[in-house]
Amino acid sequence: MAEGEKQLSLRERNKLRTRREIHAAALEVFQAEGFAGSSVDKIAKTAGTSKGTIYVYFPDGLNDIYREIYADLSKKILNAGCNARDAETDPVKRILALAAALLELCAQPETGRFYSLLSPTLRPVLAPVLGQASSEFTVMVAEDVQALRNNDSAADATVFAELLVGAMREAAKIVSDAPRKKKSLLAGLEALAAGLARSPDRTA
């Protein structure tokens, strides 16, 4: 049990457990059917609960469920990435820590396909929560790029950061289909980040 959960009442812990069971069932249905084939009926059956219970927790039904799952996964990636990044001092290693957190989640069968491969039907549903992790990653990576390039302008650093974060997202898509490629993709991302370094005596 997480530290924060110890402070919850029994009723609150039960509600949290029910939400997690619905999340797990929704991801299981998504894995088998895709978003187009998902339904509250199928999720309820998989979770061993009623449709009524699901609508109590998620009034907007399917859309609410998948939005909350995506937002929770984004928070998980951010927390893991920030904690790992804070433990590093080298800018390249700090960038790589964020990439590793993303690829680690996307290498997991139960979450990777959902988080990294957005179908045309799912993207509009997730629109309110899309891009949260990427936006924060971009800000952090820009700070590290500035350090690598001897305090280049913030605008230049942001451009490089956007390109690196885009590469991370593409790597995540690959890993969701082929988890065995995680190590080589991380090595490639590390080389990309290291290639941005500017020697102190190099003129602008």
Side-chain angles (χ1 to χ4, degrees), residues 80-156:
C82 288
N83 288 338
R85 177 178 180 265
D86 288 346
E88 302 287 352
T89 55
D90 176 71
V92 172
K93 296 297 184 185
R94 285 163 66 83
I95 292 169
L96 198 65
L98 298 176
L102 174 60
L103 268 58
E104 176 62 27
L105 182 137
C106 289
Q108 300 171 21
E110 67 274 17
T111 53
R113 179 168 172 261
F114 172 77
Y115 191 79
S116 62
L117 300 177
L118 298 179
S119 68
T121 54
L122 184 57
R123 183 174 289 276
V125 171
L126 298 180
V129 293
L130 282 178
Q132 294 175 351
S134 292
S135 296
E136 295 197 41
F137 269 30
T138 299
V139 172
M140 290 185 281
V141 171
E143 292 174 359
D144 296 324
V145 168
Q146 276 193 290
L148 274 172
R149 295 180 62 78
N150 302 316
N151 295 313
D152 266 3
S153 75
D156 288 342

Side-chain angles (χ1 to χ4, degrees), residues 7-181:
Q7 310 303 319
L8 300 177
S9 68
L10 177 61
R11 182 179 181 182
E12 290 170 328
R13 290 199 299 271
N14 287 338
K15 289 172 69 175
L16 182 59
R17 185 180 68 249
T18 299
R19 293 188 89 89
R20 287 174 174 169
E21 288 170 352
I22 294 170
H23 283 189
L27 285 172
E28 185 176 335
V29 171
F30 183 88
Q31 285 289 96
E33 309 282 351
F35 181 72
S38 298
S39 68
V40 171
D41 277 331
K42 291 177 182 178
I43 293 171
K45 183 177 180 180
T46 302
T49 190
S50 68
K51 286 175 60 178
T53 296
I54 289 181
Y55 281 112
V56 166
Y57 286 87
F58 301 98
D60 197 23
L62 202 62
N63 292 354
D64 266 356
I65 296 170
Y66 284 120
R67 274 195 294 267
E68 184 169 289
I69 292 172
Y70 192 91
D72 283 354
L73 291 175
S74 294
K75 289 176 185 176
K76 184 177 180 180
I77 290 169
L78 278 169
N79 287 337
C82 288
N83 288 338
R85 177 178 180 265
D86 288 346
E88 302 287 352
T89 55
D90 176 71
V92 172
K93 296 297 184 185
R94 285 163 66 83
I95 292 169
L96 198 65
L98 298 176
L102 174 60
L103 268 58
E104 176 62 27
L105 182 137
C106 289
Q108 300 171 21
E110 67 274 17
T111 53
R113 179 168 172 261
F114 172 77
Y115 191 79
S116 62
L117 300 177
L118 298 179
S119 68
T121 54
L122 184 57
R123 183 174 289 276
V125 171
L126 298 180
V129 293
L130 282 178
Q132 294 175 351
S134 292
S135 296
E136 295 197 41
F137 269 30
T138 299
V139 172
M140 290 185 281
V141 171
E143 292 174 359
D144 296 324
V145 168
Q146 276 193 290
L148 274 172
R149 295 180 62 78
N150 302 316
N151 295 313
D152 266 3
S153 75
D156 288 342
T158 298
V159 169
F160 285 122
E162 288 170 343
L163 291 170
L164 281 171
V165 173
M168 290 180 195
R169 289 198 301 264
E170 288 303 311
K173 292 178 184 179
I174 295 170
V175 166
S176 68
D177 281 332
R180 68 186 183 280
K181 293 185 177 181

